[in-house]
């Protein structure tokens, strides 16, 4: 994978993710153990350099270095079972051949100890990992994994170390993963030679995303002196210049312990990690001088401008308005952690939310559709930068946008910021430190990666509470502290780049021509002898890819290592305001409350339905009660961690033609702010505003732009949603809510000159949705907070409207569904309180349909769906295993390795839809026949018990993925699937046999 998005761009993005179980802070805890390490202590070739407690994140950081090689090591001890390892290399290419990216792929193709092809992908099926991946950023490459199982941790660590330090880097691996010349049909030397290769295709796909294209050029031009001037992922036109020799050389100099940073996280003991890393990898090296440091960027003495051309966006709301422009300012060295913290906050004040000066000045000027890509603070390069601008503007408005930006900066320097906005931002940091997610280790490793990469202190970066105190102090001593920074970094900064991008109708055509020229040049350079070799290598590659693999060298967990039962979550049910069911789930939430509600769509007239997603995305942003939309946004930032609404379609667990339709309200806040948050919900339910037409237009345009920008990354999802549209009634609604139909509707609305008719639909939808007629609620909070929470929920529900007479559902076929009794502790409770009203369509006839969307991209997304059985049917477990088996043992090989697509496989969704898909695929027709062959392959039953066991491990790794305290019990609340049903399903998964698989494949 390649992308700059992994890098911790936003400090504030950090703690979407504090992990679970931190409440078990008790004596003998991992934190106390970590605090025992002494500075200078030597453990397995490493020396302890620093031990620091960071109480606000419930962790202890231990910094070490390896004596012989100089490898750096950071261990973060925390009471979290989802342990993580990562190794990071500073990779600083000086050309756009994509060498670090191709290397990232190639090292995963086999190593000395694990010479089988693709051990990395094979391990996905032999492990209970909760995360495994590899990333190439602009200036480093990172290999992280996480797991909750200690044995699994050792297995994966062994495979990762061997891959990174002792890869085979065979020529055929380079050809498969990087680029190669091969006959279109490799077995037919009469067909023309073409470029193939996974990274080659991946990058062709990546740059069909105009936002990413813009971001890439922006970085290249703003930091033009060294590694940031090139494309680390690879430019498809430069990739064919890379040789196998250069690849091996790059590995030798960059993937060396002296250029490595190791990171471990969680509750497993540190000594074990150190011992294994030292013995299996580091003892085999001696220190070198890697010379990979990136020099400081030479500052410009005057601002620069740059213009680029891109492909045109066929989903753009207005084809004459497809220009993007932004102004970017080079800020500070990211190793200066306090200055970086301050500038990050400052950036949020400038561009975050409807009260920020740039939102008001740019978005509300009605010139463009949304901010330009990478708006705000960017901290993943050695020097951070700030960027602001607009996309979706007319070319003639470039000057106007530039003037607005300059004027806004002057105004900020003069007026400063409201105190309340600064408080709201600091409140947000407090929430982010308390809110726990299940991937905290992963969030940490990406958060520290950039700063550490440039010799900054990662521990310093973690001390967020110190930074907040220091920040408050500065502000107190000097009230114009922030204004002075704006003057220094924005007004008086000559290192500033104005970049614009506009579409060129023939852009893709021109790119194709350049590629054809490159191809011709490469082919012409081949001698007859080399041509023959090329043909033979092509055959060799196919032979290798088709050869059955001996994977016995790889470590593996066994099915018996999987826990036979799941821990049950205790839930409490009660009625509030007489008859509205509320689910309470007491959890160690660190002083946070999570409130959710579901309201049914059953009574909503059909003609209003397509507007539900739009209603959801604007209803918390239009103002309510006495608050205008700006004040409402301010209150939400000051008092909550977010309030949002989304459409909710849940297929039934036992009938494919039944489903629940509604909208989901979600919100979170600190304990102390619960009354304020519930008051906001009351105002939104009772007195939402629908008057601000201009503001509504801004929101619609932003939604349209986001949807359009999302297609290149989610093409396979759109394809799958569309393909399942005619298979179940829920599928039809899915397509309306989240499929291409929705994209087109929003685009049409954004193009309307008079938007009032759409705006007028919202209060009508409100009448059906924002009441307590068909509602249920849920609360996740600490046990101490529950009684307070239930009072607040009661008040809220009493205060919102309830229809006097019952409204009739629009579709007559409604079935009432009560969950089965739940087992709580040892008692059986009858939880029939939550009765879900499902829609069913007894006359629905699934039918086949084919659609092909022409997208202006050089790659395809293919989806094919089959209607199967619901969750509770006995065949469901077999189909789930079968999907995994087909992906691992057949589709991955055919679609990715042979076909050259970025990805492909099969999945089974909760709705009982079995989906084949491919992602960024150079083929389409032949992929369909691959799908067919996969089914034949399964019917023939050509798989071994080992294959089935591996598929089971992979399925259980997903089933047993950790769940954050905020999300415990959500399955039950949303879908009605109880822990008992899950346990039953678990037993069915364990019981799946070869015969079952062949049986379901034949149905
Ligand atoms: Zn990649």
């Amino acid at each position: 994978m390649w992308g700059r998005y992994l890098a911790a761009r936003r400090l504030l993005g950090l703690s979407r993710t504090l992990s679970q179980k931190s409440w078990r802070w008790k004596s003998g805890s991992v934190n106390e153990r970590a605090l025992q390490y002494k500075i200078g202590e030597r453990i397995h070739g490493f020396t302890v350099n620093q031990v620091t407690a960071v109480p606000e994140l419930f962790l202890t950081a231990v910094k070490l270095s390896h004596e012989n090689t100089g490898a750096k090591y950071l261990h973060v001890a925390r009471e979290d079972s989802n342990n993580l390892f990562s190794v990071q290399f500073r990779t600083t290419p000086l050309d756009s051949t994509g060498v670090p990216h191709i290397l990232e792929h190639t090292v995963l193709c086999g190593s000395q100890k694990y010479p089988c092809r693709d051990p990395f992908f094979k391990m996905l099926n032999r492990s209970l990992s909760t995360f495994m991946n590899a990333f190439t950023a602009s200036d480093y490459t990172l290999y992280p994994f996480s797991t909750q199982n200690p044995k699994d941790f050792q297995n994966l660590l062994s495979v990762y170390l061997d891959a990174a330090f002792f890869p085979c880097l065979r020529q055929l691996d380079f050809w498969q993963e990087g680029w190669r010349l091969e006959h279109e049909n490799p077995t037919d030397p009469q067909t023309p030679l073409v470029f193939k290769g996974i990274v080659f295709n991946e990058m062709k796909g990546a740059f069909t995303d105009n936002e990413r294209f813009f971001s890439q050029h922006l970085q290249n031009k703003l930091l033009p002196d060294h590694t940031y001037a090139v494309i680390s992922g690879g430019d498809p036109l430069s990739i064919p210049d890379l040789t196998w020799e250069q690849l091996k050389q790059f590995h030798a100099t960059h993937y060396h312990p002296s250029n490595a940073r190791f990171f471990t996280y969680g509750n497993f003991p540190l000594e074990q990690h150190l011992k294994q890393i030292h013995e299996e990898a580091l003892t085999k090296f001696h220190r070198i001088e890697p010379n990979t440091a990136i020099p400081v960027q030479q500052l410009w003495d005057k601002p620069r401008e740059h213009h680029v051309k891109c492909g045109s966006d066929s989903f753009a709301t207005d084809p004459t308005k497809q220009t993007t422009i932004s102004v970017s300012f080079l800020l500070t060295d990211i190793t200066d952690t306090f200055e970086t913290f301050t500038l990050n906050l400052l950036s949020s004040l400038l561009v975050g939310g409807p009260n920020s000066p740039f939102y008001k000045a740019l978005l509300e000027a009605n010139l463009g559709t949304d901010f330009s890509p990478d708006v705000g603070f960017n901290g993943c390069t050695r020097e951070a930068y700030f960027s602001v601008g607009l996309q979706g503007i007319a070319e003639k408005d470039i000057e106007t946008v530039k003037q607005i930006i300059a004027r806004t900066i002057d105004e900020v320097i003069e007026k400063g910021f409201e105190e309340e906005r600064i408080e709201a931002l600091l409140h947000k940091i407090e929430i982010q430190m308390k809110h726990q997610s299940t991937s905290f280790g992963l969030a940490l490793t990406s958060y520290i990666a950039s700063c550490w990469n440039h010799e900054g202190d990662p521990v310093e970066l973690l001390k967020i509470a110190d930074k907040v105190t220091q920040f408050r102090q500065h502000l107190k001593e000097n009230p114009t502290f922030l204004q002075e920074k704006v003057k220094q970094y924005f007004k008086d900064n000559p290192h500033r780049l104005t970049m614009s991008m506009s579409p060129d109708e023939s852009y893709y055509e021109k790119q194709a021509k350049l590629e054809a020229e490159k191809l011709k040049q490469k082919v012409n350079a081949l001698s007859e002898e080399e041509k023959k070799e090329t043909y033979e290598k092509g055959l060799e590659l196919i032979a290798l890819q088709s050869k059955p693999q001996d994977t016995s060298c790889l470590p593996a967990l066994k099915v018996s290592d999987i826990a036979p039962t799941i821990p049950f979550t205790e839930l409490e049910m009660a009625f509030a305001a007489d008859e509205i069911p509320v689910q309470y789930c007491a959890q160690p939430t660190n002083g946070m409350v999570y409130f959710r509600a579901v309201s049914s769509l059953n009574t909503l007239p059909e003609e209003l339905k397509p507007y539900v997603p739009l209603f959801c995305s604007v209803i918390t942003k239009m103002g309510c009660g006495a608050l205008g939309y700006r004040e409402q946004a301010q209150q939400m930032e000051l008092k909550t961690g977010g309030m949002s609404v989304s459409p909710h379609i849940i297929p039934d667990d036992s009938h494919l033609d039944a489903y629940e339709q509604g909208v989901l309200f979600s919100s979170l806040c600190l304990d102390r702010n619960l009354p304020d948050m519930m008051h906001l919900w009351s105002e939104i339910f009772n007195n939402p505003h629908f008057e601000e037409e201009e503001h509504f237009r801004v929101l619609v345009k932003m939604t349209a732009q986001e949807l359009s920008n999302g297609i290149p990354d989610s093409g396979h999802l759109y394809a799958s949603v569309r393909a399942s549209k005619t298979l179940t009634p829920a599928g039809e609604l899915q397509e309306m809510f989240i499929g291409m139909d929705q994209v087109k509707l929003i685009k049409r609305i954004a193009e309307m000159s008079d938007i009032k008719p759409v705006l007028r639909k919202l209060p009508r939808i409100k009448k059906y949705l924002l009441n307590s007629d068909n509602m249920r609620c849920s609360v996740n909070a600490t046990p101490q907070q529950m009684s307070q929470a239930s009072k607040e929920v009661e008040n809220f529900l009493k205060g919102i409207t309830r229809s006097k007479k019952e409204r009739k559902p629009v579709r007559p076929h409604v079935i009432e569904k009560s969950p089965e009794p739940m087992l709580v502790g040892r008692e059986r409770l009858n939880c029939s309180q939550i009765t879900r009203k499902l829609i069913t369509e007894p006359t629905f006839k699934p039918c086949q349909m084919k659609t092909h969307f022409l997208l202006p991209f050089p790659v395809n997304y293919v989806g094919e769906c089959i209607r199967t059985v619901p969750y509770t049917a006995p065949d469901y477990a077999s189909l789930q295993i079968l999907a995994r088996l087909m992906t691992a043992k057949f589709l991955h090989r055919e679609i990715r390795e042979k076909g050259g697509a970025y990805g492909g496989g099969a999945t089974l969704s909760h709705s009982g839809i079995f989906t084949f898909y491919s992602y960024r695929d150079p083929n389409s027709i032949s992929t369909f026949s691959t799908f067919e062959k996969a089914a034949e392959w399964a019917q023939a039953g050509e798989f071994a018990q080992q294959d089935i066991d591996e598929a089971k491990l992979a399925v259980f790794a997903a089933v047993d993925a950790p769940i954050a305290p905020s999300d415990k019990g959500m399955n039950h609340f949303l879908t009605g699937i109880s822990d008992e049903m899950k346990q039953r399903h678990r037993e069915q998964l364990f019981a799946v046999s070869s015969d079952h698989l062949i049986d379901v494949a034949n149905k």
Side-chain angles (χ1 to χ4, degrees), residues 1-2 101-102 104-105 134 136 198-199 202-203 896 902:
M1 193 193 282
W2 164 83
H101 184 193
I102 294 170
E104 173 229 299
H105 280 242
T136 310
I198 291 173
V199 169
E202 185 189 338
M203 295 313 293
R896 182 174 159 114
Y902 185 63

Side-chain angles (χ1 to χ4, degrees), residues 518-585:
K518 186 98 200 168
L519 180 67
K520 208 167 130 198
Q521 185 196 344
K522 290 276 167 194
V523 172
N524 287 347
L526 295 180
S527 65
E528 279 312 308
E529 187 58 29
E530 283 167 328
K531 277 192 184 146
K532 199 163 148 268
E533 264 173 44
T534 305
Y535 170 63
E536 281 160 4
K537 290 273 181 186
L539 294 181
E540 200 184 325
L541 192 58
I542 298 187
L544 186 78
Q545 286 165 343
S546 313
K547 211 169 72 187
Q549 287 288 303
D550 178 14
T551 53
S552 57
C553 61
L554 287 170
L557 290 183
K558 296 192 202 70
V559 173
S560 57
D561 290 320
I562 302 167
T565 55
I566 50 164
F568 279 33
T569 302
E570 283 196 33
L571 301 174
E572 205 180 300
M573 298 293 167
F575 285 123
D578 295 337
E579 50 185 328
I580 298 160
V582 185
Q583 170 181 303
Y584 293 98
C585 182

Side-chain angles (χ1 to χ4, degrees), residues 408-553:
T408 308
I409 290 170
D410 287 338
E411 280 168 16
V412 171
I413 294 173
E414 200 191 309
K415 292 188 196 138
F417 300 98
E418 292 160 49
E419 209 181 309
E420 208 176 44
R421 291 199 59 228
I422 301 175
E423 278 312 314
L425 211 52
L426 295 173
H427 164 258
K428 197 167 162 189
I429 295 177
E430 185 182 355
I431 287 206
Q432 286 166 340
M433 285 192 288
K434 289 190 169 162
H435 175 67
Q436 312 178 58
S437 95
T438 54
S439 53
F440 189 61
L442 184 64
L444 273 189
T445 189
S446 35
Y447 175 60
I448 61 174
S450 283
C451 177
W452 200 15
N453 198 41
H454 302 293
E455 313 295 343
D457 183 352
V459 179
E460 210 33 63
L461 209 54
L462 298 177
K463 296 192 213 152
I464 296 169
D466 283 4
K467 304 252 174 349
V468 173
T469 313
Q470 208 180 334
F471 179 77
R472 285 191 186 282
Q473 191 62 29
H474 273 82
L475 215 51
K476 210 170 116 197
E477 285 164 8
N478 176 9
T480 60
F481 171 59
L482 289 173
Q483 282 139 282
E484 286 164 23
K485 294 283 175 212
V486 175
K487 187 160 187 307
Q488 176 193 349
Y489 286 105
F490 297 88
K491 176 89 179 163
D492 299 339
N493 184 355
H495 199 113
R496 177 192 324 165
L497 175 72
T498 304
M499 196 171 96
S500 53
M501 174 174 85
S502 55
D504 174 355
E505 283 300 320
S506 56
Y507 176 79
Y508 289 118
E509 216 174 285
K510 284 180 188 157
Q511 286 298 109
K513 218 163 132 200
L514 289 173
E515 191 190 314
E517 274 164 27
K518 186 98 200 168
L519 180 67
K520 208 167 130 198
Q521 185 196 344
K522 290 276 167 194
V523 172
N524 287 347
L526 295 180
S527 65
E528 279 312 308
E529 187 58 29
E530 283 167 328
K531 277 192 184 146
K532 199 163 148 268
E533 264 173 44
T534 305
Y535 170 63
E536 281 160 4
K537 290 273 181 186
L539 294 181
E540 200 184 325
L541 192 58
I542 298 187
L544 186 78
Q545 286 165 343
S546 313
K547 211 169 72 187
Q549 287 288 303
D550 178 14
T551 53
S552 57
C553 61

